[in-house]
Amino acid sequence: MKVRLNRYLSMCGVASRRKADSFIAAGKITINDHTENNLGNVIDIEKDVVRLEGRIITPESKRYLILNKPSLYLTSLGKEGNKKTVRELIAEVPERVYPVGRLDYDVEGLLILTNDGELANKILHPSYEVTKVYRANIIGSVSDGTIAQMKKGIELRDGLAKPDSIRIKKRSKDSSIALVSFHEGRNHLVKRFFAKFGHPVAKLKRVSVGPIRLGNLPSSKWRDLKANEFCSLSQAVGIET
């Protein structure tokens, strides 16, 4: 299989393609013991030996995790001041896995992490309509009439927000619990959607992404995707397994 050198370095978890280009330009990369400075060079990953400053570079094994992100954690792998990040929760994972999308700082629930860029991109792309389901604790008793209006959607500042599905799971005098799903990933979409109807969100948790369910995974804990889950998720975005 032949790929561009910068893509190969990215596949190996060395760096982003842009950073890989800087390594190549600086003469830090050798192919079969010859220094390579051509940014557009293509290699055969089954035959060529690639080294970064003398160290042989090989592709990382693919890893697929789900994490039950707690509230008050950033969906980030870098340092963000004094705030905790999900990096701390997956510290023992040796592969460089990345969050697929994000959850707000105060939102909890299902987060997929992987080093499989193709799968991640397809999960996030709206054309594949991978539905994300949220359990929202909202302020106020939501009437059946309001639910009917919500199903039709409502204009937000960045366009129409129309849920794929919505239903009330529990209702009391002062609050309601709703299950709502969207296949879009706009910032604060669920919160803005309910607020537009006069029912602010008090607590929000993502419970599924496509066929992947959070289930009873404890808060702050992670696990690898099961084989059947991986197959179902891949099929949902058109990847053959």
Side-chain angles (χ1 to χ4, degrees):
M1 177 182 176
K2 294 184 178 182
V3 299
R4 285 173 63 98
L5 179 56
N6 62 355
R7 183 188 173 201
Y8 178 75
L9 295 173
S10 177
M11 288 167 55
C12 294
V14 170
S16 66
R17 292 194 193 186
R18 181 176 296 180
K19 185 65 175 178
D21 283 341
S22 70
F23 288 156
I24 297 168
K28 296 182 179 182
I29 305 297
T30 62
I31 301 175
N32 302 326
D33 296 324
H34 297 285
T35 300
E36 180 57 63
N37 298 110
N38 182 1
L39 298 183
N41 193 52
V42 174
I43 67 162
D44 187 329
I45 65 175
E46 296 174 353
K47 297 179 180 179
D48 294 325
V49 177
V50 179
R51 288 182 169 87
L52 169 61
E53 297 182 321
R55 177 171 60 92
I56 294 178
I57 302 302
T58 56
E60 288 186 317
S61 58
K62 292 291 190 291
R63 194 77 184 266
Y64 308 88
L65 313 176
I66 64 170
L67 168 72
N68 187 352
K69 174 194 169 300
S71 180
L72 306 186
Y73 272 76
L74 291 170
T75 307
S76 169
L77 299 183
K79 197 68 178 173
E80 301 281 348
N82 295 322
K83 291 183 177 180
K84 296 178 180 179
T85 72
V86 297
R87 185 186 187 92
E88 301 170 39
L89 304 176
I90 59 167
E92 68 271 33
V93 178
E95 292 85 2
R96 289 158 52 98
V97 295
Y98 300 90
V100 180
R102 62 188 298 274
L103 288 175
D104 290 346
Y105 180 62
D106 60 346
V107 175
E108 57 188 277
L110 176 59
L111 186 66
I112 297 175
L113 300 103
T114 184
N115 52 6
D116 186 336
E118 180 186 12
L119 180 65
N121 290 334
K122 288 190 174 183
I123 292 172
L124 294 173
H125 201 286
S127 66
Y128 291 96
E129 298 189 355
V130 177
T131 298
K132 293 84 175 175
V133 180
Y134 299 83
R135 187 174 69 217
N137 293 56
I138 52 183
I139 297 173
S141 181
V142 182
S143 68
D144 292 339
T146 299
I147 287 294
Q149 293 174 6
M150 288 179 173
K151 289 180 178 179
K152 296 177 182 178
I154 195 167
E155 283 291 335
L156 302 178
R157 64 176 181 272
D158 51 358
L160 179 68
K162 184 178 180 181
D164 298 307
S165 65
I166 183 170
R167 68 181 178 89
I168 295 298
K169 188 175 182 180
K170 188 177 180 180
R171 183 162 38 198
S172 66
K173 179 181 177 181
D174 301 316
S175 64
S176 304
I177 298 177
L179 287 178
V180 61
S181 64
F182 287 94
H183 64 267
E184 298 180 81
R186 285 183 270 167
N187 286 342
H188 315 300
L189 177 60
V190 177
K191 295 177 183 176
R192 291 190 289 129
F193 175 79
F194 283 113
K196 193 75 172 179
F197 287 95
H199 292 284
V201 172
K203 182 179 180 181
L204 190 62
K205 183 174 187 176
R206 186 158 67 193
V207 296
S208 70
V209 174
I212 308 304
R213 305 288 185 265
L214 183 63
N216 58 2
L217 184 66
S219 180
S220 302
K221 300 299 182 182
W222 64 269
R223 66 169 176 82
D224 288 289
L225 276 187
K226 299 173 183 177
N228 64 316
E229 291 176 321
F230 170 73
C231 290
S232 296
L233 185 58
S234 297
Q235 291 170 6
V237 295
I239 297 176
E240 294 185 5
T241 57

